[in-house]
Amino acid sequence: ILVYDREDRKPGSEGLPESKDRDVLTSIRLNSEAAPTSLAVKDNLLFAAHPENGVFVINIADPVKPFIVKTIKQAFVNGEVIDIKPQKVVVQDNYLYIHDDEQDQLLIALDITAPSFSQVNDMFMDGVIDVSSNDSFMFTSESILDLNIIDSSNPKHLNTGRSFVPNGFELSGEVVDVFNQPTIAGIGVQDPECSGVEARNVCFDIRVYISLFDTSENDVINLLDAVVFPLKGKNRLINSHLTDDGVI
């Protein structure tokens, strides 16, 4: 994990000084053979996940002196302790959600206010997950036209809510990312035959799909738009971010 100075001035602002060479301030080495696949932050804690190495909990109260608090590699599921392979971590309110898509889409909820990071829930959910910005909902998706909203206001009891109804219309693809704003959610999908590390050497010029949904109504989800665009060479879709101005 590398630590840099953050630039919080907007490009084009008046009175900006000359450019600055922002070198690495410090770093912390993880006991991992590969870079984390997912990061999440809550107050003074940074969570870094990798399927083969678990979730590293890092204290960043002093940004130039980060240190590892613990590593989460196991969870209690169906009455037994199992090894987890976390693909993604997200934080909502005071809870850390660990998504293990190799264990039948296992989702684990931990209370990060407790000293032991006690586990409060585990369940099997279909598809890629994301949490809402208002700490009340969770989104899941298995395909470009599949969006489900789950009430996560009580992490101990997650309840399935609304779902988009495609009315028989289907598009193939591997869901890579789910993203959202208060009244809009989106899904990022790429060619299914070109997923995985091995495919990078045989798949070129793939297609990427982005679908956007209106989630403002209480009883229904509406499709706003769906677009397709090419990625040249060995490029792949990793994740997306929905802003007030568009999708990054």
Side-chain angles (χ1 to χ4, degrees), residues 27-234:
S27 64
I28 179 171
R29 182 174 295 276
L30 306 179
N31 185 21
S32 173
E33 296 181 357
T37 57
S38 179
L39 299 174
V41 176
K42 173 66 176 181
D43 298 330
N44 292 325
L45 294 176
L46 170 66
F47 303 93
H50 187 276
E52 301 302 324
N53 302 287
V55 179
F56 296 93
V57 184
I58 304 168
N59 187 309
I60 54 173
D62 185 347
V64 296
K65 295 181 180 179
F67 61 91
I68 298 174
V69 177
K70 66 183 302 181
T71 305
I72 303 169
K73 293 186 176 182
Q74 295 181 320
F76 193 73
V77 180
N78 293 333
E80 62 178 347
V81 177
I82 67 168
D83 294 330
I84 59 174
K85 295 181 178 297
Q87 185 67 31
K88 185 175 183 178
V89 285
V90 291
V91 174
Q92 189 175 55
D93 197 14
N94 291 318
Y95 295 90
L96 172 70
Y97 292 95
I98 302 174
H99 185 222
D100 182 345
D101 63 2
E102 294 189 22
Q103 302 274 7
D104 295 325
Q105 304 294 346
L106 174 64
L107 183 69
I108 302 161
L110 305 178
D111 182 356
I112 57 179
T113 64
S116 61
F117 289 79
S118 56
Q119 182 176 328
V120 299
N121 197 0
D122 63 90
M123 64 183 298
F124 295 96
M125 304 180 68
D126 295 331
V128 178
I129 67 166
D130 192 25
V131 295
S132 67
S133 56
N134 60 5
D135 295 336
S136 297
F137 298 102
M138 182 176 296
F139 299 84
T140 68
S141 176
E142 285 189 285
S143 69
I144 188 172
L145 295 178
D146 172 62
L147 182 69
N148 308 289
I149 300 180
I150 295 172
D151 183 354
S152 58
S153 56
N154 183 356
K156 297 180 181 179
H157 303 283
L158 301 177
N159 297 312
T160 303
R162 294 166 287 161
S163 296
F164 175 70
V165 180
N167 294 319
F169 187 69
E170 295 183 3
L171 288 173
S172 64
E174 175 208 16
V175 176
V176 177
D177 192 32
V178 181
F179 48 93
N180 74 94
Q181 284 280 0
T183 60
I184 297 177
I187 301 170
V189 175
Q190 66 185 8
D191 287 340
E193 64 271 16
C194 292
S195 61
V197 176
E198 297 82 2
R200 291 185 64 89
N201 295 322
V202 295
C203 284
F204 299 91
D205 302 336
I206 69 171
R207 293 168 298 172
V208 168
Y209 303 89
I210 298 291
S211 54
L212 296 175
F213 300 84
D214 178 2
T215 59
S216 61
E217 299 186 35
N218 293 327
D219 57 348
V220 66
I221 300 174
N222 295 308
L223 178 66
L224 293 175
D225 202 357
V227 297
V228 57
F229 57 91
L231 285 182
K232 298 297 184 181
K234 296 183 180 181

